[in-house]
Amino acid sequence: MSSTHVEFHSVTVRYGDAIALDDISFSIARNSIFGIVGPANSGKTTLLKCINRTIDFIASAKVDGRVTIDGEDVRKIRNVYALRRRIGMVFPLPVGLPMSIYDNVAYGPRRGGIHDRETLDEIVETSLKQAVLWDEVKDRLGSLGTKLSGGQQQRLTLARALSLQPEILCLDEFSIAIDPVTTMKIEEILVELKGDMTIILVTNLIQQAHRIADDLMFLNDAEIVEVGPTEGVFASPEHEITARYLTGEMG
């Protein structure tokens, strides 16, 4: 099996007349953490939406080029629901389902045909532990997930994504509502999880990318400025604008 898991081939995305991604091409290695950084409105979230085709929900969006997973064009995959089950997605703001903590995590596996209680119990516990939430909620799994704090709801969203054991996990500024200590614990788990999945991490925390990303891409104004091994990008960026962004001189 190829070491390349996800690949963008000359992808351009427009929202009406506005260009969100401008002819970008790059590849993501299997079982790696691929970090994406860049200012607001540089195209980072749009990029993630192209992978699991949630871009399809935006009526004004027009996508040219190809996004492939294991060489297969995602836009030619007929069963979009099956595609999205393969790709866990966590956005900056938590999206809790109006049901119990347990049922929030068990929702995806149940829809996938798993109904054995013992198996579901194991999935729920494992997923909540991976999201560093188990110890806080294990005695109230029947409580409404929407009653949790913002940071807890964000981790519940992460647990729900992990419950399907995705082959690709997309994280869009997942730590925006999570305290630094818990964020560091989740980072440690993500490094372990890359043995089982490919992780694509959009982050506004430059040092987070430095700590855990194997490869790093800097997006600016819908274009790729630089992409390569993280240590190399930090140690000797090829472009002055990259250096300015990584050192906090530009936002």
Side-chain angles (χ1 to χ4, degrees), residues 170-185:
C170 297
L171 302 173
D172 191 357
E173 298 185 8
F174 80 92
S175 55
I176 197 167
I178 302 175
D179 67 272
V181 173
T182 304
T183 294
M184 294 285 280
K185 291 178 181 177

Side-chain angles (χ1 to χ4, degrees), residues 180-221:
V181 173
T182 304
T183 294
M184 294 285 280
K185 291 178 181 177
I186 295 174
E187 287 177 9
E188 293 173 6
I189 289 170
L190 292 177
V191 172
E192 295 175 10
L193 286 175
K194 74 178 182 180
D196 300 315
M197 63 188 69
T198 299
I199 299 171
I200 305 171
L201 172 70
V202 167
T203 180
N204 61 350
L205 303 176
I206 300 301
Q207 290 309 311
Q208 181 176 76
H210 198 179
R211 284 191 296 269
I212 66 173
D214 298 294
D215 295 293
L216 184 69
M217 182 165 71
F218 172 44
L219 278 177
N220 188 51
D221 287 337

Side-chain angles (χ1 to χ4, degrees), residues 79-88 108 111-112 164-167:
N79 190 339
V80 181
Y81 300 105
L83 171 69
R84 291 178 186 145
R85 282 197 295 271
R86 294 165 58 192
I87 304 168
R111 289 203 66 180
L164 290 171
Q165 299 179 312
E167 64 177 85

Side-chain angles (χ1 to χ4, degrees), residues 48-247:
L48 295 184
K49 289 179 177 179
C50 288
I51 298 172
N52 77 341
R53 286 182 52 184
T54 49
I55 194 79
D56 295 359
F57 297 137
I58 303 173
S60 63
K62 183 179 185 299
V63 181
D64 293 310
R66 293 186 304 130
V67 178
T68 59
I69 296 176
D70 291 330
E72 184 177 14
D73 188 337
V74 298
R75 286 194 292 167
K76 292 184 178 178
I77 295 175
R78 292 187 176 184
N79 190 339
V80 181
Y81 300 105
L83 171 69
R84 291 178 186 145
R85 282 197 295 271
R86 294 165 58 192
I87 304 168
M89 186 77 74
V90 179
F91 290 111
L93 296 177
V95 183
L97 299 175
M99 53 183 67
S100 71
I101 296 168
Y102 184 100
D103 288 339
N104 258 273
V105 183
Y107 180 80
R110 281 178 176 144
R111 289 203 66 180
I114 298 174
H115 299 288
D116 176 68
R117 182 69 186 206
E118 188 174 332
T119 303
L120 287 172
D121 287 350
E122 184 177 340
I123 291 171
V124 169
E125 181 174 345
T126 298
S127 302
L128 288 170
K129 283 180 175 176
Q130 289 172 335
V132 194
L133 186 57
W134 174 253
D135 288 342
E136 297 169 43
V137 302
K138 62 184 179 183
D139 297 323
R140 50 182 175 132
L141 294 177
S143 302
L144 273 175
T146 50
K147 296 294 186 182
L148 295 172
S149 70
Q152 289 174 325
Q153 285 192 53
Q154 184 71 332
R155 282 178 280 154
L156 181 61
T157 302
L158 175 58
R160 198 164 67 235
L162 290 169
S163 71
L164 290 171
Q165 299 179 312
E167 64 177 85
I168 299 168
L169 178 64
C170 297
L171 302 173
D172 191 357
E173 298 185 8
F174 80 92
S175 55
I176 197 167
I178 302 175
D179 67 272
V181 173
T182 304
T183 294
M184 294 285 280
K185 291 178 181 177
I186 295 174
E187 287 177 9
E188 293 173 6
I189 289 170
L190 292 177
V191 172
E192 295 175 10
L193 286 175
K194 74 178 182 180
D196 300 315
M197 63 188 69
T198 299
I199 299 171
I200 305 171
L201 172 70
V202 167
T203 180
N204 61 350
L205 303 176
I206 300 301
Q207 290 309 311
Q208 181 176 76
H210 198 179
R211 284 191 296 269
I212 66 173
D214 298 294
D215 295 293
L216 184 69
M217 182 165 71
F218 172 44
L219 278 177
N220 188 51
D221 287 337
E223 297 181 343
I224 297 174
V225 177
E226 198 157 337
V227 61
T230 300
E231 285 303 326
V233 173
F234 271 89
S236 54
E238 295 179 5
H239 302 279
E240 181 184 352
I241 191 174
T242 307
R244 288 176 55 218
Y245 185 81
L246 296 180
T247 55

